[in-house]
Amino acid sequence: MLKEILSISGKPGLYKLINNTSNAIIVESLLDGKRFAAYSNSKIIALEDISIYTEDEDMPLKEVLKRIFEKENGAQALSHKADTEKILAYFEEIVPEYDHNRVYVSDMRKIIQWYNLLADKKMLSFEEETPKAE
């Protein structure tokens, strides 16, 4: 699910991988549907490769999104523009074991914003991918 959803630093929102070329990748914005080439000088990361710091070991972003999905029954979460106190309380409820020193409110806002965007586009699926039988 999250392999083809990308975050590009300096650009708002999330992007879906469309195609690879020799020196760039073609992406489509989930916000407005526009396609463009993203080059290697941009910091591009798949959501699957992102994790958050916890008191024990890092938690994959997929697990955080799954917890929000289960709490909200697939509906939208609170707005990422909510008051800082509300964001902190909400995140504490979702991931009580997060590392309070290394996970910032801005990170929490971004995760909530990404969740709401993916939920709005019906792109959240948490079924385990099973290998295809031959």
mmCIF file of all heavy atoms in Angstrom, residues 2 5-6 8 17-19 21 37-38 48 56 67 69-72 79 85-86 91 98 113 120 126 130:
data_model
loop_
_atom_site.group_PDB
_atom_site.id
_atom_site.type_symbol
_atom_site.label_atom_id
_atom_site.label_comp_id
_atom_site.label_asym_id
_atom_site.label_seq_id
_atom_site.Cartn_x
_atom_site.Cartn_y
_atom_site.Cartn_z
ATOM 1 N N LEU A 2 1.836 1.319 0.885
ATOM 2 C CA LEU A 2 2.611 2.551 1.026
ATOM 3 C C LEU A 2 3.871 2.575 0.160
ATOM 4 O O LEU A 2 4.584 3.563 0.161
ATOM 5 C CB LEU A 2 2.993 2.761 2.494
ATOM 6 C CG LEU A 2 1.822 2.924 3.466
ATOM 7 C CD1 LEU A 2 2.330 3.081 4.886
ATOM 8 C CD2 LEU A 2 0.945 4.098 3.086
ATOM 9 N N ILE A 5 3.427 5.339 -2.522
ATOM 10 C CA ILE A 5 3.038 6.662 -2.048
ATOM 11 C C ILE A 5 4.298 7.347 -1.540
ATOM 12 O O ILE A 5 4.995 6.816 -0.679
ATOM 13 C CB ILE A 5 1.968 6.579 -0.936
ATOM 14 C CG1 ILE A 5 0.764 5.750 -1.394
ATOM 15 C CG2 ILE A 5 1.550 7.975 -0.508
ATOM 16 C CD1 ILE A 5 0.034 6.296 -2.600
ATOM 17 N N LEU A 6 4.583 8.514 -2.079
ATOM 18 C CA LEU A 6 5.849 9.190 -1.811
ATOM 19 C C LEU A 6 5.643 10.548 -1.159
ATOM 20 O O LEU A 6 4.646 11.216 -1.394
ATOM 21 C CB LEU A 6 6.616 9.396 -3.125
ATOM 22 C CG LEU A 6 6.791 8.173 -4.014
ATOM 23 C CD1 LEU A 6 7.386 8.577 -5.353
ATOM 24 C CD2 LEU A 6 7.651 7.138 -3.336
ATOM 25 N N ILE A 8 7.775 14.139 -0.985
ATOM 26 C CA ILE A 8 8.870 14.852 -1.629
ATOM 27 C C ILE A 8 9.127 16.114 -0.820
ATOM 28 O O ILE A 8 8.233 16.942 -0.652
ATOM 29 C CB ILE A 8 8.526 15.209 -3.088
ATOM 30 C CG1 ILE A 8 8.216 13.931 -3.876
ATOM 31 C CG2 ILE A 8 9.676 15.985 -3.731
ATOM 32 C CD1 ILE A 8 7.734 14.162 -5.291
ATOM 33 N N LEU A 17 3.540 7.186 -7.186
ATOM 34 C CA LEU A 17 4.520 6.839 -8.210
ATOM 35 C C LEU A 17 3.786 6.333 -9.447
ATOM 36 O O LEU A 17 2.978 5.414 -9.363
ATOM 37 C CB LEU A 17 5.470 5.755 -7.677
ATOM 38 C CG LEU A 17 6.488 5.210 -8.667
ATOM 39 C CD1 LEU A 17 7.471 6.290 -9.082
ATOM 40 C CD2 LEU A 17 7.218 4.030 -8.065
ATOM 41 N N ILE A 18 4.072 6.948 -10.590
ATOM 42 C CA ILE A 18 3.437 6.543 -11.846
ATOM 43 C C ILE A 18 4.395 5.723 -12.693
ATOM 44 O O ILE A 18 4.049 4.662 -13.200
ATOM 45 C CB ILE A 18 2.953 7.786 -12.648
ATOM 46 C CG1 ILE A 18 1.953 8.602 -11.822
ATOM 47 C CG2 ILE A 18 2.356 7.371 -13.988
ATOM 48 C CD1 ILE A 18 0.685 7.878 -11.447
ATOM 49 N N ASN A 19 5.643 6.220 -12.838
ATOM 50 C CA ASN A 19 6.601 5.543 -13.708
ATOM 51 C C ASN A 19 8.019 5.956 -13.355
ATOM 52 O O ASN A 19 8.242 7.038 -12.817
ATOM 53 C CB ASN A 19 6.301 5.901 -15.162
ATOM 54 C CG ASN A 19 6.944 4.956 -16.151
ATOM 55 O OD1 ASN A 19 7.591 3.991 -15.769
ATOM 56 N ND2 ASN A 19 6.766 5.237 -17.435
ATOM 57 N N THR A 21 11.819 6.737 -14.962
ATOM 58 C CA THR A 21 12.577 6.992 -16.178
ATOM 59 C C THR A 21 14.053 6.885 -15.808
ATOM 60 O O THR A 21 14.388 6.670 -14.655
ATOM 61 C CB THR A 21 12.262 8.388 -16.762
ATOM 62 O OG1 THR A 21 12.697 9.384 -15.839
ATOM 63 C CG2 THR A 21 10.779 8.549 -17.043
ATOM 64 N N ALA A 37 7.664 15.378 -13.256
ATOM 65 C CA ALA A 37 8.875 14.577 -13.047
ATOM 66 C C ALA A 37 9.556 15.041 -11.769
ATOM 67 O O ALA A 37 9.732 16.239 -11.552
ATOM 68 C CB ALA A 37 9.812 14.731 -14.231
ATOM 69 N N ALA A 38 9.934 14.103 -10.941
ATOM 70 C CA ALA A 38 10.702 14.406 -9.727
ATOM 71 C C ALA A 38 12.105 13.850 -9.945
ATOM 72 O O ALA A 38 12.278 12.683 -10.266
ATOM 73 C CB ALA A 38 10.052 13.771 -8.507
ATOM 74 N N GLU A 48 6.367 3.811 3.105
ATOM 75 C CA GLU A 48 6.700 2.513 3.690
ATOM 76 C C GLU A 48 8.032 2.550 4.448
ATOM 77 O O GLU A 48 8.242 1.796 5.386
ATOM 78 C CB GLU A 48 6.754 1.451 2.593
ATOM 79 C CG GLU A 48 7.037 0.078 3.120
ATOM 80 C CD GLU A 48 6.954 -0.963 2.024
ATOM 81 O OE1 GLU A 48 7.938 -1.092 1.271
ATOM 82 O OE2 GLU A 48 5.923 -1.625 1.938
ATOM 83 N N ASP A 56 10.787 1.951 22.787
ATOM 84 C CA ASP A 56 11.480 0.695 22.550
ATOM 85 C C ASP A 56 12.204 0.747 21.203
ATOM 86 O O ASP A 56 13.320 1.183 21.110
ATOM 87 C CB ASP A 56 10.494 -0.473 22.590
ATOM 88 C CG ASP A 56 9.818 -0.593 23.954
ATOM 89 O OD1 ASP A 56 10.496 -0.379 24.971
ATOM 90 O OD2 ASP A 56 8.618 -0.908 23.984
ATOM 91 N N ARG A 67 -3.417 2.255 13.385
ATOM 92 C CA ARG A 67 -4.021 2.590 14.680
ATOM 93 C C ARG A 67 -5.016 3.747 14.549
ATOM 94 O O ARG A 67 -6.086 3.723 15.161
ATOM 95 C CB ARG A 67 -2.938 2.954 15.692
ATOM 96 C CG ARG A 67 -2.117 1.765 16.152
ATOM 97 C CD ARG A 67 -1.121 2.176 17.200
ATOM 98 N NE ARG A 67 -0.294 1.064 17.644
ATOM 99 C CZ ARG A 67 0.507 1.114 18.701
ATOM 100 N NH1 ARG A 67 0.611 2.219 19.417
ATOM 101 N NH2 ARG A 67 1.213 0.069 19.047
ATOM 102 N N PHE A 69 -6.642 4.498 11.780
ATOM 103 C CA PHE A 69 -7.741 3.924 11.001
ATOM 104 C C PHE A 69 -8.702 3.168 11.907
ATOM 105 O O PHE A 69 -9.929 3.319 11.804
ATOM 106 C CB PHE A 69 -7.168 3.000 9.922
ATOM 107 C CG PHE A 69 -8.177 2.433 8.976
ATOM 108 C CD1 PHE A 69 -8.591 3.155 7.869
ATOM 109 C CD2 PHE A 69 -8.706 1.163 9.176
ATOM 110 C CE1 PHE A 69 -9.519 2.627 6.985
ATOM 111 C CE2 PHE A 69 -9.633 0.627 8.301
ATOM 112 C CZ PHE A 69 -10.042 1.365 7.195
ATOM 113 N N GLU A 70 -8.158 2.359 12.815
ATOM 114 C CA GLU A 70 -8.990 1.577 13.723
ATOM 115 C C GLU A 70 -9.721 2.471 14.712
ATOM 116 O O GLU A 70 -10.890 2.245 15.013
ATOM 117 C CB GLU A 70 -8.140 0.539 14.453
ATOM 118 C CG GLU A 70 -7.681 -0.582 13.544
ATOM 119 C CD GLU A 70 -6.621 -1.483 14.149
ATOM 120 O OE1 GLU A 70 -6.114 -1.183 15.261
ATOM 121 O OE2 GLU A 70 -6.286 -2.501 13.504
ATOM 122 N N LYS A 71 -9.052 3.499 15.209
ATOM 123 C CA LYS A 71 -9.694 4.417 16.156
ATOM 124 C C LYS A 71 -10.836 5.174 15.494
ATOM 125 O O LYS A 71 -11.893 5.379 16.076
ATOM 126 C CB LYS A 71 -8.676 5.415 16.713
ATOM 127 C CG LYS A 71 -9.288 6.445 17.658
ATOM 128 C CD LYS A 71 -8.280 7.494 18.074
ATOM 129 C CE LYS A 71 -8.772 8.530 19.030
ATOM 130 N NZ LYS A 71 -10.171 8.815 19.101
ATOM 131 N N GLU A 72 -10.627 5.586 14.246
ATOM 132 C CA GLU A 72 -11.622 6.402 13.534
ATOM 133 C C GLU A 72 -12.572 5.563 12.679
ATOM 134 O O GLU A 72 -13.408 6.124 11.975
ATOM 135 C CB GLU A 72 -10.905 7.426 12.640
ATOM 136 C CG GLU A 72 -9.954 8.351 13.370
ATOM 137 C CD GLU A 72 -10.637 9.236 14.398
ATOM 138 O OE1 GLU A 72 -11.873 9.429 14.320
ATOM 139 O OE2 GLU A 72 -9.932 9.746 15.279
ATOM 140 N N SER A 79 -8.325 17.486 12.427
ATOM 141 C CA SER A 79 -7.552 18.276 11.475
ATOM 142 C C SER A 79 -6.112 18.429 11.953
ATOM 143 O O SER A 79 -5.857 18.592 13.148
ATOM 144 C CB SER A 79 -8.177 19.662 11.323
ATOM 145 O OG SER A 79 -7.319 20.501 10.571
ATOM 146 N N GLU A 85 -2.350 21.329 21.779
ATOM 147 C CA GLU A 85 -2.769 20.461 22.887
ATOM 148 C C GLU A 85 -3.625 19.300 22.382
ATOM 149 O O GLU A 85 -3.497 18.168 22.846
ATOM 150 C CB GLU A 85 -3.548 21.258 23.944
ATOM 151 C CG GLU A 85 -2.738 22.327 24.651
ATOM 152 C CD GLU A 85 -2.547 23.603 23.828
ATOM 153 O OE1 GLU A 85 -3.408 23.919 22.961
ATOM 154 O OE2 GLU A 85 -1.530 24.276 24.032
ATOM 155 N N LYS A 86 -4.511 19.583 21.420
ATOM 156 C CA LYS A 86 -5.369 18.530 20.869
ATOM 157 C C LYS A 86 -4.548 17.517 20.079
ATOM 158 O O LYS A 86 -4.789 16.310 20.164
ATOM 159 C CB LYS A 86 -6.452 19.139 19.962
ATOM 160 C CG LYS A 86 -7.530 19.871 20.721
ATOM 161 C CD LYS A 86 -8.576 20.403 19.771
ATOM 162 C CE LYS A 86 -9.636 21.180 20.541
ATOM 163 N NZ LYS A 86 -10.623 21.809 19.647
ATOM 164 N N PHE A 91 -2.359 12.167 19.606
ATOM 165 C CA PHE A 91 -1.226 11.292 19.302
ATOM 166 C C PHE A 91 -0.878 10.413 20.490
ATOM 167 O O PHE A 91 -0.511 9.253 20.321
ATOM 168 C CB PHE A 91 -0.013 12.126 18.851
ATOM 169 C CG PHE A 91 0.849 11.411 17.862
ATOM 170 C CD1 PHE A 91 0.478 11.320 16.530
ATOM 171 C CD2 PHE A 91 2.040 10.829 18.254
ATOM 172 C CE1 PHE A 91 1.268 10.649 15.608
ATOM 173 C CE2 PHE A 91 2.840 10.155 17.347
ATOM 174 C CZ PHE A 91 2.454 10.066 16.017
ATOM 175 N N TYR A 98 5.242 6.691 22.050
ATOM 176 C CA TYR A 98 6.152 7.481 21.212
ATOM 177 C C TYR A 98 7.189 8.197 22.079
ATOM 178 O O TYR A 98 6.968 8.490 23.242
ATOM 179 C CB TYR A 98 5.375 8.471 20.335
ATOM 180 C CG TYR A 98 4.913 9.746 21.005
ATOM 181 C CD1 TYR A 98 5.710 10.884 20.971
ATOM 182 C CD2 TYR A 98 3.685 9.817 21.647
ATOM 183 C CE1 TYR A 98 5.299 12.064 21.579
ATOM 184 C CE2 TYR A 98 3.268 10.984 22.254
ATOM 185 C CZ TYR A 98 4.078 12.107 22.214
ATOM 186 O OH TYR A 98 3.671 13.273 22.814
ATOM 187 N N GLN A 113 -2.114 14.672 8.765
ATOM 188 C CA GLN A 113 -2.458 15.210 7.445
ATOM 189 C C GLN A 113 -2.380 14.108 6.386
ATOM 190 O O GLN A 113 -3.275 13.972 5.548
ATOM 191 C CB GLN A 113 -1.519 16.357 7.086
ATOM 192 C CG GLN A 113 -1.822 16.993 5.745
ATOM 193 C CD GLN A 113 -0.856 18.110 5.402
ATOM 194 O OE1 GLN A 113 0.247 18.196 5.936
ATOM 195 N NE2 GLN A 113 -1.270 18.971 4.492
ATOM 196 N N ASP A 120 -9.235 10.077 2.641
ATOM 197 C CA ASP A 120 -10.109 10.775 1.705
ATOM 198 C C ASP A 120 -10.060 10.130 0.321
ATOM 199 O O ASP A 120 -11.070 10.023 -0.368
ATOM 200 C CB ASP A 120 -9.719 12.250 1.628
ATOM 201 C CG ASP A 120 -10.635 13.047 0.732
ATOM 202 O OD1 ASP A 120 -11.872 12.956 0.903
ATOM 203 O OD2 ASP A 120 -10.131 13.763 -0.160
ATOM 204 N N PHE A 126 -5.105 -2.340 5.000
ATOM 205 C CA PHE A 126 -4.181 -2.950 5.947
ATOM 206 C C PHE A 126 -4.196 -4.470 5.899
ATOM 207 O O PHE A 126 -3.678 -5.114 6.785
ATOM 208 C CB PHE A 126 -4.476 -2.443 7.359
ATOM 209 C CG PHE A 126 -4.266 -0.969 7.476
ATOM 210 C CD1 PHE A 126 -5.343 -0.092 7.468
ATOM 211 C CD2 PHE A 126 -2.991 -0.447 7.554
ATOM 212 C CE1 PHE A 126 -5.145 1.271 7.553
ATOM 213 C CE2 PHE A 126 -2.785 0.922 7.637
ATOM 214 C CZ PHE A 126 -3.859 1.775 7.641
ATOM 215 N N THR A 130 -0.473 -11.193 0.422
ATOM 216 C CA THR A 130 -0.084 -12.602 0.359
ATOM 217 C C THR A 130 0.580 -12.879 -0.981
ATOM 218 O O THR A 130 0.140 -12.354 -2.012
ATOM 219 C CB THR A 130 -1.308 -13.518 0.532
ATOM 220 O OG1 THR A 130 -2.281 -13.171 -0.466
ATOM 221 C CG2 THR A 130 -1.926 -13.386 1.894
#
